[in-house]
Amino acid sequence: MSTDGRMPPRVRIAPSPTGDPHVGTAYIALFNYAFARRHGGKFVLRIEDTDQQRYTEGSEHAILESLRWLGLSWDEGPDVGGEHGPYRQSERLELYREHVAPLVASGKAYRCFCTRERLDALRKEQMAAKARLGYDGHCRSLDPQQAEARVQAGEAYVVRLHVPEGKTVVTDRLRGDVEFANEQIDDQVLVKSDGFPTYHLANVVDDHCMGITHVIRGEEWLSSTPKHVLLYEAFGWEQPQWIHLGLLRNADKSKLSKRKNPVSIIHYRSLGYLPATFLNFLATLGFSMGDDRERFSLQEMIDAFEWSKVSVGGPVFDPVKLDAFNADDIRALPLPELQAQIAEHVLGSDRIAALLALSHERIERLDDFIPYVSFFFGGVVDYSTVLPKLKIKRTLAEAAKILATFVDEIERDPQGRAFTPQSLEAFSRAFCERHEWKARDLFTLLRVGAAGRTAAPPLFDTLALVGKDRFRMRIRDFIGVLKTQPKPAKG
């Protein structure tokens, strides 16, 4: 596999279906796409779904639809096929088993039978001693025949990479040589006890077997790259070129996170950002045309693309700048096109059907429809008129605290993450029992926080249609309002 630029590149985007598609996925996809198109290469979409515990139903479809909305079409993928498929890791499990067996046979990997209890105790000891956290190689020297006998006896095990002594150098196209001491690299797990590969093994095997020439991803993966380099060396394979882009950040330079800002591509689509504008905005975060221009098309970016024009500094995701871009582009639209865009956005068939289902028994005139469903649109809600009507048997401070806990826990719960009416109700009722809150009080807070009203369509249908990011953003705003109120609410 040549990576010296003499053959058309093969690049990939490999998201995990564990929730709504992240704007960081769009950012990395954009640079992969532009590079591939600039050099007549191939852009591959692969779904990395080996983490079954975090898998979210519907997430793969959302990923594909979001990238399509942005206009980033792929040449190979789970929906379009290709000669290197299948393109879902869960459909490639036998391939990983075939590749890990020779590593174990050669001693470059080994079976580890350490129990969770031993590993937990080891971690506590290391923390108490303020030592480096990581596996201690306890099973590294097991006799292979003895290990095989334990396997045949049905004992649970994982497969770990035997990290050699010395150092590992990652040559990054944007950052130069980055050196890692091998003593700081854990004997990573390659195959979990359930037989599924870890990200590291599946990622390397897939990139090699799919002929990926350039791995273009976020800098958060740079610390994992020495593990991947060691795997390439263990297999005797040529490495791809490594390119780690800057990590998207908030204005305060912290990592872009859903705890502070909406990060779902779906959220920005639902708010009415134009896809070409959103791509242009993402491009300016890490790419310069070489002049002072910030407004350019995707094709212009492709035509001008060079790695010398890509910055690795922490790019700031500035919503104010995005709004300014979008406002300019909306104003530049001819009125007939703007009319069509607004009609599609507001009255798109799926959305209008859902809104009508929630409202058709609650409106008396056709003119009532827009006021009744208005809170489903936009991001900001005015809570000033509804706060005096808020009746719960808790203080406002307690209300703010429980809402913050709710938003925090919902992301860690598979039912909550799914964000369907059924999953939201199951999560919310279990949450009330867990935290000893009356459902009536919590549900009132959720309704007011999401809709700015004490009366609205059925709560969980409302939350699902408002959407996860818009809900999270409004609840954060509502918490801020609650914290500024001088008096507690009394039921």
Side-chain angles (χ1 to χ4, degrees):
M1 176 179 62
S2 173
T3 60
D4 60 6
R6 290 180 297 180
M7 65 177 287
R10 286 180 56 82
V11 300
R12 49 75 170 172
I13 186 75
S16 298
T18 55
D20 287 347
H22 195 285
V23 293
T25 298
Y27 180 70
I28 300 300
L30 170 60
F31 281 79
N32 275 276
Y33 181 89
F35 175 65
R37 294 292 179 260
R38 176 71 177 85
H39 296 284
K42 297 294 185 181
F43 176 51
V44 178
L45 173 64
R46 184 173 74 229
I47 298 297
E48 299 197 337
D49 60 348
T50 56
D51 191 342
Q52 295 294 294
Q53 291 185 336
R54 296 182 62 226
Y55 175 82
T56 303
E57 189 72 31
S59 181
E60 179 184 322
H61 176 75
I63 291 167
L64 270 59
E65 285 301 301
S66 295
L67 293 178
R68 284 197 191 98
W69 172 67
L70 290 170
L72 301 177
S73 58
W74 44 96
D75 303 295
E76 303 172 26
D79 57 333
V80 299
E83 60 181 297
H84 298 281
Y87 294 91
R88 294 183 188 89
Q89 287 186 335
S90 59
E91 299 172 2
R92 300 169 64 86
L93 298 181
E94 189 57 40
L95 180 70
Y96 310 130
R97 296 187 186 102
E98 291 173 2
H99 279 82
V100 82
L103 293 184
V104 174
S106 65
K108 294 176 180 177
Y110 60 93
R111 297 180 176 108
C112 171
F113 299 89
C114 291
T115 63
R116 172 51 53 192
E117 290 73 21
R118 181 186 182 276
L119 295 176
D120 288 344
L122 173 64
R123 182 178 179 84
K124 290 179 181 178
E125 290 174 8
Q126 291 171 336
M127 292 177 68
K130 296 182 178 180
R132 186 183 74 85
L133 302 181
Y135 184 63
D136 60 356
H138 179 74
C139 292
R140 189 186 290 176
S141 58
L142 277 178
D143 178 75
Q145 291 184 340
Q146 183 184 28
E148 180 61 29
R150 294 174 70 171
V151 170
Q152 295 303 319
E155 191 170 345
Y157 68 94
V158 300
V159 176
R160 293 182 181 272
L161 180 68
H162 188 157
V163 175
E165 296 180 353
K167 65 181 181 180
T168 299
V169 177
V170 175
T171 300
D172 187 278
R173 181 77 173 261
L174 298 177
R175 303 162 188 270
D177 287 350
V178 185
E179 187 174 301
F180 297 84
N182 285 4
E183 63 184 13
Q184 299 297 317
I185 302 173
D186 206 16
D187 278 9
Q188 62 190 289
V189 174
L190 302 179
V191 179
K192 295 175 284 189
S193 58
D194 61 5
F196 272 72
T198 60
Y199 165 81
H200 303 294
L201 175 67
N203 181 275
V204 167
V205 170
D206 285 343
D207 282 346
H208 173 76
C209 293
M210 292 182 178
I212 301 302
T213 60
H214 298 72
V215 171
I216 306 166
R217 57 189 178 189
E219 69 175 302
E220 66 269 30
W221 294 110
L222 182 58
S223 60
S224 294
T225 306
K227 300 178 181 181
H228 301 167
V229 169
L230 288 170
L231 268 171
Y232 274 97
E233 292 175 349
F235 282 121
W237 297 337
E238 183 180 356
Q239 299 175 44
Q241 288 195 26
W242 306 104
I243 302 162
H244 291 89
L245 301 176
L247 188 66
L248 295 184
R249 299 187 181 278
N250 297 302
D252 62 2
K253 303 301 182 181
S254 62
K255 179 182 177 182
L256 188 66
S257 165
K258 55 196 164 195
R259 294 178 182 272
K260 293 189 176 182
N261 284 305
V263 296
S264 166
I265 304 171
I266 294 172
H267 171 76
Y268 290 96
R269 180 181 184 178
S270 71
L271 285 184
Y273 290 96
L274 304 176
T277 305
F278 196 72
L279 273 186
N280 180 193
F281 167 73
L282 288 178
T284 63
L285 302 184
F287 177 79
S288 170
M289 290 289 289
D291 50 31
D292 293 332
R293 267 192 303 158
E294 284 196 306
R295 306 312 311 274
F296 48 86
S297 68
L298 176 57
Q299 189 57 54
E300 288 175 317
M301 178 184 181
I302 292 169
D303 293 341
F305 194 88
E306 297 176 8
W307 289 114
S308 61
K309 297 179 179 180
V310 176
S311 169
V312 296
V316 174
F317 190 98
D318 182 1
V320 175
K321 181 178 179 180
L322 174 58
D323 284 347
F325 275 25
N326 209 59
D328 286 345
D329 289 350
I330 284 177
R331 290 169 188 142
L333 288 174
L335 288 181
E337 186 176 344
L338 177 59
Q339 178 181 340
Q341 293 265 16
I342 290 177
E344 173 60 27
H345 176 72
V346 177
L347 303 176
S349 59
D350 290 343
R351 195 174 197 191
I352 193 68
L355 291 174
L356 287 172
L358 291 181
S359 63
H360 79 288
E361 293 183 356
R362 295 172 174 84
I363 60 175
E364 297 177 353
R365 300 187 306 271
L366 296 180
D367 253 10
D368 293 338
F369 175 69
I370 295 298
Y372 187 78
V373 300
S374 61
F375 66 86
F376 285 106
F377 300 92
V380 179
V381 169
D382 181 5
Y383 298 106
S384 60
T385 59
V386 74
L387 271 177
K389 305 174 185 177
L390 183 62
K391 302 297 182 182
I392 60 171
K393 296 181 178 180
R394 297 280 188 151
T395 67
L396 295 186
E398 290 173 323
K401 182 177 180 181
I402 199 66
L403 286 173
T405 304
F406 185 92
V407 172
D408 182 58
E409 288 189 12
I410 201 169
E411 278 303 317
R412 299 199 298 267
D413 187 280
Q415 289 181 316
R417 284 202 310 270
F419 225 75
T420 64
Q422 298 78 15
S423 66
L424 284 167
E425 181 171 6
F427 170 80
S428 300
R429 293 193 182 281
F431 180 90
C432 287
E433 292 183 12
R434 198 161 58 247
H435 293 277
E436 299 181 345
W437 262 67
K438 290 187 178 299
R440 177 182 175 183
D441 286 343
L442 179 67
F443 293 179
T444 296
L445 290 173
L446 294 177
R447 179 176 286 106
V448 171
R453 304 177 182 183
T454 54
L459 174 61
F460 300 109
D461 295 277
T462 296
L463 298 187
L465 194 53
V466 164
K468 187 186 299 183
D469 268 318
R470 200 187 320 240
F471 166 76
R472 189 187 295 113
M473 181 172 62
R474 287 180 177 176
I475 293 297
R476 278 200 300 263
D477 291 343
F478 187 40
I479 290 170
V481 171
L482 291 172
K483 287 181 176 180
T484 63
Q485 300 305 302
K487 295 179 180 180
K490 296 292 184 180

